[in-house]
Amino acid sequence: MKKLLITLRYDGYNYHGYQVQKNAVTVQEVFQNAVEKVFNKRLDVTGCSRTDSGVHANMYCVCIESDMDISNESVIMALNTYLPSDIAVYDCKEVDVDFHPRYSCKSKEYLYKLYNGKYPNPFLDRYAYWYRFPIDEKYLNEQAQAFLGTHDFAGFCSSKSDVEDTERTIYSFDVWREGDMVYFKVCGDGFLYNMVRIMVGSLLFVSQGKIKKDELYDVIKSCDRNRAGKTAPAKGLYLNKVNY
Amino acid sequence: MKKLLITLRYDGYNYHGYQVQKNAVTVQEVFQNAVEKVFNKRLDVTGCSRTDSGVHANMYCVCIESDMDISNESVIMALNTYLPSDIAVYDCKEVDVDFHPRYSCKSKEYLYKLYNGKYPNPFLDRYAYWYRFPIDEKYLNEQAQAFLGTHDFAGFCSSKSDVEDTERTIYSFDVWREGDMVYFKVCGDGFLYNMVRIMVGSLLFVSQGKIKKDELYDVIKSCDRNRAGKTAPAKGLYLNKVNY
């Protein structure tokens, strides 16, 4: 029996997130079906994280255990044959039996893509949030540093969540522009439900003056969801990197 | 009565090309419906070119004539309100009454996007052709210069075409790489049905050695469709620029 760590990318547009749900198509379900075709039996697929409906992944890690004698390269090729075009595997390697894609994870990085052009862009409609008002990305990058460190992020969490421990540590937060695109990249030890999208929405509140200069730290400390910004749309969000 | 030159972008994935057809959704039809809603009547929409089913446009020009007193900026905003998210207007200006989006055009530029990664990329599936074999883009760029000048391109035209004059002039042809992407950009006075896709397919034949070094010129001169390469998939092709 060997444990395989498989890395994939997916366009989340057509999926209700990663985690299996009743009455909704999810990445996990589609992936499990492909695994079943390759390995000729139903195998447990353990993922590294939940992702919200519509959220994308540049890097998503899963583990399966199998006793089949098949090369890692063949696993990649075979899975890609059975996966639809919006999900693709690009790495597969053997790991220790006690490795866990979720609990062995040291940090995660999310990327948020915002299209800041004056008019809508058909090629980015599924892949970035169109926000046409002026953005001073240097100012936002400076203000975003308030997120760094260990905080109780209860105010940056969907009310639908029932997680008890809302303390998380943020290692870095960068905001920058490339042409009409504005990027938000955040790395932390873990994230609450909708947390990155509320962080981005709060920075847009900073951009609009609804959260004042240097006020973001107080907004975090208040643990008040009503003081944070709106949840930014899912389609701009990418799970970008999982660090083990 | 004033004549407006309107510039748009579209993701051609869901369309059977630009030109209106029976029993198939086209960009022109969808655009005409949006124009009708904005101007409160059916107006003729004249396009700059046909495009094949599935082909995209970074720049596509159309003209309409109207006597409505509405600013150019309002035309852009109003059309984008009624257009689906895969078509968007980004410019509108008044032109002379004798201007014609097709006949006034001095040259057109097409861009072909090829994804040269080892494994499929879900985010590029609709927008680039995945070709995983090695490509020496510098060699292809050098060989592609055979297309330059005025030639009878009868061998680079779909057999479905009934155009009589198959002579066209190519002004430039560039092939270059950016990471895993390989781009082909061609500018000419006009293009035959499937011509750019057959040019790209022929360069892939050059890459595979099926067309030998410096043989491309003879392939063109032969006017033999069977000596040229396969038609590259539509999804990698973009009408990139229309020069007036």
Side-chain angles (χ1 to χ4, degrees):
Chain A
M1 194 65 104
K2 61 183 181 180
K3 196 164 197 170
L4 296 176
L5 173 63
I6 297 171
T7 312
L8 45 143
R9 266 193 201 99
Y10 60 82
D11 170 351
Y13 186 83
N14 293 313
Y15 298 98
H16 281 73
Y18 173 77
Q19 188 104 340
V20 164
Q21 287 181 32
K22 275 186 189 161
N23 308 319
V25 181
T26 63
V27 176
Q28 187 180 16
E29 179 195 332
V30 170
F31 190 78
Q32 268 173 337
N33 292 341
V35 166
E36 188 170 349
K37 284 185 184 134
V38 173
F39 292 87
N40 291 319
K41 60 176 150 184
R42 197 82 188 158
L43 297 178
D44 279 336
V45 175
T46 315
C48 64
S49 173
R50 294 185 178 210
T51 60
D52 297 351
S53 186
V55 168
H56 313 291
N58 285 323
M59 178 178 181
Y60 190 95
C61 297
V62 299
C63 275
I64 56 170
E65 286 183 87
S66 156
D67 51 9
M68 192 187 260
D69 187 24
I70 174 174
S71 75
N72 295 341
E73 182 66 21
S74 299
V75 170
I76 301 177
M77 293 304 217
L79 282 172
N80 284 336
T81 304
Y82 292 111
L83 286 168
S85 61
D86 48 13
I87 305 177
V89 172
Y90 63 91
D91 196 30
C92 175
K93 61 181 179 191
E94 198 175 339
V95 286
D96 282 348
V97 283
D98 58 353
F99 180 92
H100 190 287
R102 187 166 166 196
Y103 303 119
S104 303
C105 170
K106 289 199 175 61
S107 66
K108 280 190 197 114
E109 182 182 285
Y110 278 91
L111 181 67
Y112 196 92
K113 298 187 185 181
L114 185 148
Y115 175 62
N116 197 214
K118 189 171 176 189
Y119 304 115
N121 184 328
F123 299 109
L124 296 172
D125 182 59
R126 293 156 62 115
Y127 303 117
Y129 169 40
W130 176 44
Y131 179 86
R132 67 194 184 86
F133 307 102
I135 288 182
D136 178 346
E137 68 282 0
K138 284 178 188 136
Y139 175 61
L140 292 194
N141 184 60
E142 180 195 300
Q143 295 295 305
Q145 304 313 308
F147 288 126
L148 266 54
T150 303
H151 305 280
D152 180 348
F153 281 103
F156 288 75
C157 179
S158 165
S159 57
K160 288 181 206 156
S161 168
D162 53 4
V163 175
E164 285 186 14
D165 176 12
T166 50
E167 192 177 273
R168 295 290 183 276
T169 301
I170 299 301
Y171 303 122
S172 66
F173 203 119
D174 299 288
V175 184
W176 75 98
R177 174 184 295 273
E178 291 176 21
D180 280 338
M181 298 297 297
V182 177
Y183 297 96
F184 303 76
K185 194 164 78 177
V186 55
C187 182
D189 66 347
F191 294 89
L192 303 167
Y193 185 43
N194 283 357
M195 181 168 155
V196 180
R197 291 163 58 191
I198 299 172
M199 286 169 140
V200 172
S202 298
L203 286 170
L204 294 177
F205 264 28
V206 170
S207 185
Q208 295 155 17
K210 291 179 187 166
I211 293 176
K212 307 283 175 227
K213 187 170 190 236
D214 301 331
E215 191 194 341
L216 195 53
Y217 189 81
D218 295 336
V219 172
I220 301 165
K221 287 293 161 204
S222 75
C223 291
D224 182 356
R225 176 68 191 88
N226 296 316
R227 288 190 64 186
K230 277 194 245 178
T231 307
K235 64 182 180 178
L237 187 61
Y238 297 70
L239 175 55
N240 202 45
K241 216 171 162 192
V242 188
N243 298 310
Y244 294 109
Chain B
M1 195 65 104
K2 62 183 182 180
K3 196 165 198 170
L4 296 176
L5 173 63
I6 296 171
T7 313
L8 45 143
R9 266 193 200 99
Y10 59 82
D11 170 351
Y13 186 83
N14 292 313
Y15 298 98
H16 281 74
Y18 173 78
Q19 189 104 341
V20 164
Q21 287 181 32
K22 276 186 192 164
N23 307 321
V25 181
T26 63
V27 176
Q28 185 179 18
E29 179 195 332
V30 170
F31 190 78
Q32 268 173 338
N33 292 342
V35 165
E36 187 170 350
K37 284 186 184 131
V38 173
F39 291 89
N40 292 319
K41 60 177 151 185
R42 197 83 187 155
L43 296 178
D44 280 337
V45 175
T46 315
C48 64
S49 174
R50 295 185 177 210
T51 59
D52 297 352
S53 186
V55 168
H56 313 291
N58 285 322
M59 180 177 179
Y60 191 95
C61 297
V62 299
C63 277
I64 56 169
E65 286 183 88
S66 156
D67 51 10
M68 192 188 260
D69 187 24
I70 175 174
S71 75
N72 294 340
E73 183 66 21
S74 300
V75 170
I76 300 177
M77 295 302 217
L79 283 171
N80 283 337
T81 304
Y82 292 111
L83 286 167
S85 61
D86 50 11
I87 305 177
V89 171
Y90 62 92
D91 196 30
C92 174
K93 61 183 178 190
E94 198 176 340
V95 286
D96 282 348
V97 285
D98 59 351
F99 180 92
H100 191 286
R102 186 166 168 197
Y103 303 117
S104 303
C105 169
K106 290 199 173 62
S107 66
K108 281 193 197 110
E109 181 182 286
Y110 278 92
L111 180 67
Y112 196 91
K113 298 186 184 181
L114 185 147
Y115 175 61
N116 196 214
K118 190 172 177 190
Y119 304 115
N121 185 328
F123 300 108
L124 295 171
D125 181 59
R126 294 156 61 115
Y127 302 117
Y129 169 41
W130 176 43
Y131 179 88
R132 67 194 186 86
F133 308 102
I135 290 182
D136 178 346
E137 68 281 359
K138 284 178 188 136
Y139 175 61
L140 292 195
N141 184 61
E142 180 195 300
Q143 295 294 305
Q145 305 312 308
F147 289 125
L148 266 54
T150 304
H151 304 282
D152 180 347
F153 281 102
F156 288 76
C157 179
S158 165
S159 57
K160 288 181 206 155
S161 167
D162 53 3
V163 175
E164 285 187 12
D165 176 14
T166 50
E167 192 176 275
R168 295 291 183 275
T169 300
I170 299 302
Y171 302 122
S172 66
F173 204 117
D174 298 289
V175 185
W176 75 98
R177 175 184 294 272
E178 293 176 20
D180 280 338
M181 298 296 299
V182 176
Y183 297 95
F184 302 77
K185 194 165 77 177
V186 55
C187 182
D189 66 347
F191 294 89
L192 303 168
Y193 185 44
N194 283 356
M195 181 168 156
V196 180
R197 292 164 58 190
I198 300 171
M199 285 169 139
V200 171
S202 298
L203 286 170
L204 293 177
F205 263 28
V206 169
S207 184
Q208 294 156 16
K210 291 180 187 165
I211 293 176
K212 306 282 175 230
K213 186 168 191 243
D214 301 331
E215 190 194 342
L216 194 54
Y217 189 82
D218 294 335
V219 172
I220 300 165
K221 286 293 162 204
S222 76
C223 292
D224 181 356
R225 176 69 190 89
N226 296 316
R227 288 190 62 187
K230 276 195 244 176
T231 306
K235 64 181 179 177
L237 187 61
Y238 297 70
L239 175 55
N240 202 46
K241 216 171 163 195
V242 189
N243 298 308
Y244 293 110

